[in-house]
Amino acid sequence: MTSCPPKLHSLADLRELQRSMATALMSPLTRDDALRASFKDSAQALIQPRAKLDSFDRLEIYARQYWFRLLDCLYDDYPGLRALLGERRFHQLSRAYLAAHPSESWTMRNLGRHLEAFIREQPKLTGTKQRIAIDVARFEWAQVLAFDEAALKPLNIDKLLGSDPATFTLKLQPHVSLLALDHAIDDWFIAVRNTEHVSRSETSNARIESRALTKTKRVPLPKLQKLWLVVHRSGTDIYFKRLDREAWLLLHSLSEGKTLLTAIESALADATFDRDWSAQVREWFQSWAALGWFTH
Amino acid sequence: MHNTSFPNLGVGIGLRVPHYRHILEKKPVCDWFEIISENFMVDGGRPLAVLDQILEQYRVVQHGVSMYFGNADPINREHLKKLKRLVKRTNTPWLSDHLCWGSVNGRYSHDLLPIPYTMSVAKHTAQKIRQAQDFLEVPICVENVSSYAEFKQNEMTEWEFLSEVVERADCGILLDVNNIYVSSQNHDFDPFDYLRAVPHHRVGQIHIAGHRRYDDIILDTHDHPVPDPEWALYAEAIQHCGHVSTLLEWDDRIPSFDEVHNEALKANQFIHDHDLVPA
Ligand SMILES: [Fe+2]
């Protein structure tokens, strides 16, 4: 590691100073939430000591502030994962995740973007609950999207019905997520939510102290069950909607840019003949269009 | 730029989620609200729906936390475009952000980190403020931050740096008297020296807030009423700067709307006292 220049002559020097400080702030704290002793030299090269606090102590304030602020954000955005793993384990997962994936966005809203992938890559961190944790992380990220992604101009149902299915394609609204899950996460999440107040975090310019661990009431683990789910927004509220497997497959194909005809054919490839599928498909489209899920 | 570019809106408070319901249902009298831009730089959903309702009733000024004028990295164009969309929505009379840095090589601290106070960094910072101001087409005020560290590389005081930057950028100052007080305690300087040295005609807005005192340091927590020594600084600021839009920030352990608003309205007493002093 190059040390910080004692005098700043150029933009490159400023960058070096900032890189040096950011490296200290973003590297994991010790178990006691202290800055690692290996940053003593960096601190001395950067920061003026004063009577009350030396260089290291001052750098440590910023390091702690960095970690507590980002941990708080995950804490607020992942109440389900927190309930599933317990406070302590969730905290460990969050620290490991942030060490591997520092924020790469001006908004903390995107902080959990890689969490599902990280849980897959690091099975030890969630142990026997890994499969459920993956489902919960996906479900909660979908809620982040449903909260404030765009609702574009919805597609008119008449336009859809009057189209040529062999060529017609459409898009799903950015706030709509399609999730194929292996556990009944929706019911479980509602039970968890009822045990504590849940709200999305928002940016403020003062976030200083570590949050005390709180006890959450245990909710039984979610049942093993194949779930075809849509997470979306209606008005300003977030909703979860269970679909039939065929309906979900149809939407999924459409979201991948398949034509209406191809999407319907592939969704119904394994369908049984005991239902009037054409009436069913029409009914689906009517309800989805009414929810405003389609756009151009 | 002169503080005539920044109309005096009176005494306002920061718009915060716990007060949404009260504000939308009761429509209390409040001169103006300051919003954190980043909370509304989204593409849809509740934040924008709430904002639009607020805009129907109230004057709103945007305050940002992520422009990072002091970054070595160049200004983020995509970020500026998003910000400009919001500026068009709110019709903000000016826009503020901090005199700080916060990210490097694409990694974000989400903090307001102090800048090394040197002439070359002042020039660089001023140039970025000018770029933002030109692009956004709205006057910018830069805010002094609370800090817990000073760089060994510093070649001037914070107030000299602030003055240098705003003169070069030809922009306004959001003078945070809480931040001056917090930094003066953490770095052993006289806050009144700071207050007297800045170009008063450029002060477009004042922030007041509470902080928390620990054994060795004062942290800028925005979770308390404004303490007396800070009101003394505020009174002096008003003497120098005249009637300036004043805003109370309360971000944590937020009490009721009325409690926050009443704390802010204490500022009127100092404004009134200033008016009684013969010119
Ligand atoms: Fe402030």
Side-chain angles (χ1 to χ4, degrees), chain A residues 59-97:
Chain A
L59 188 58
E60 185 177 72
I61 291 172
Y62 283 106
R64 288 165 59 99
Q65 204 163 255
Y66 168 80
W67 280 93
F68 300 155
R69 180 182 282 112
L70 269 60
L71 287 167
D72 265 8
C73 175
L74 290 178
Y75 186 99
D76 287 337
D77 283 354
Y78 288 88
L81 207 49
R82 182 152 47 84
L84 176 74
L85 300 174
E87 299 272 328
R88 197 167 300 277
R89 200 137 199 213
F90 176 77
H91 190 77
Q92 285 162 355
L93 171 70
S94 300
R95 284 185 178 230
Y97 172 68

Side-chain angles (χ1 to χ4, degrees), chain A residues 17-175:
Chain A
L17 176 144
Q18 295 183 343
R19 197 202 53 77
S20 171
M21 183 162 174
T23 302
L25 304 194
M26 295 177 188
S27 56
L29 300 172
T30 67
R31 239 186 243 235
D32 317 320
D33 290 334
L35 179 63
R36 286 174 195 276
S38 55
F39 288 107
K40 278 225 156 75
D41 288 348
S42 299
Q44 273 163 18
L46 286 169
I47 290 164
Q48 196 70 50
R50 280 197 188 276
K52 286 178 284 189
L53 292 173
D54 65 19
S55 310
F56 186 82
D57 297 331
R58 289 173 182 269
L59 188 58
E60 185 177 72
I61 291 172
Y62 283 106
R64 288 165 59 99
Q65 204 163 255
Y66 168 80
W67 280 93
F68 300 155
R69 180 182 282 112
L70 269 60
L71 287 167
D72 265 8
C73 175
L74 290 178
Y75 186 99
D76 287 337
D77 283 354
Y78 288 88
L81 207 49
R82 182 152 47 84
L84 176 74
L85 300 174
E87 299 272 328
R88 197 167 300 277
R89 200 137 199 213
F90 176 77
H91 190 77
Q92 285 162 355
L93 171 70
S94 300
R95 284 185 178 230
Y97 172 68
L98 291 172
H101 295 278
S103 173
E104 289 170 343
S105 166
W106 54 270
T107 165
M108 286 201 285
R109 177 261 204 197
N110 295 328
L111 205 56
R113 200 202 309 252
H114 307 293
L115 190 52
E116 177 207 341
F118 184 74
I119 294 170
R120 284 183 197 280
E121 290 158 16
Q122 302 286 334
K124 278 193 188 143
L125 288 167
T126 47
T128 55
K129 290 178 178 164
Q130 189 200 19
R131 301 288 321 162
I132 310 176
I134 289 168
D135 276 4
V136 176
R138 294 181 65 195
F139 181 66
E140 296 198 297
W141 176 246
Q143 289 183 61
V144 170
L145 300 182
F147 181 68
D148 61 13
E149 277 291 335
L152 306 173
K153 191 167 182 276
L155 190 71
N156 187 318
I157 181 76
D158 296 332
K159 193 159 182 196
L160 199 152
L161 294 174
S163 69
D164 173 6
T167 57
F168 192 76
T169 60
L170 47 73
K171 287 200 174 90
L172 292 188
Q173 293 285 3
H175 65 80

Side-chain angles (χ1 to χ4, degrees), chain A residues 205, chain B residues 34 63 98 112 143-146 174-179 205-209 220 222 247 249 251:
Chain A
N205 62 0
Chain B
E34 184 183 74
H63 177 54
H98 300 81
L112 309 170
E143 175 180 354
N144 58 298
V145 296
S146 283
L174 194 183
L175 194 68
D176 188 315
V177 293
N178 172 57
N179 290 346
Q205 183 187 333
I206 294 180
H207 266 173
I208 48 177
D220 178 33
H222 298 183
L247 187 120
E249 299 180 286
D251 289 303

Side-chain angles (χ1 to χ4, degrees), chain B residues 28 39 55-56 155 163 199:
Chain B
N39 289 335
L55 285 167
E56 278 174 25
E155 291 167 2
S163 306

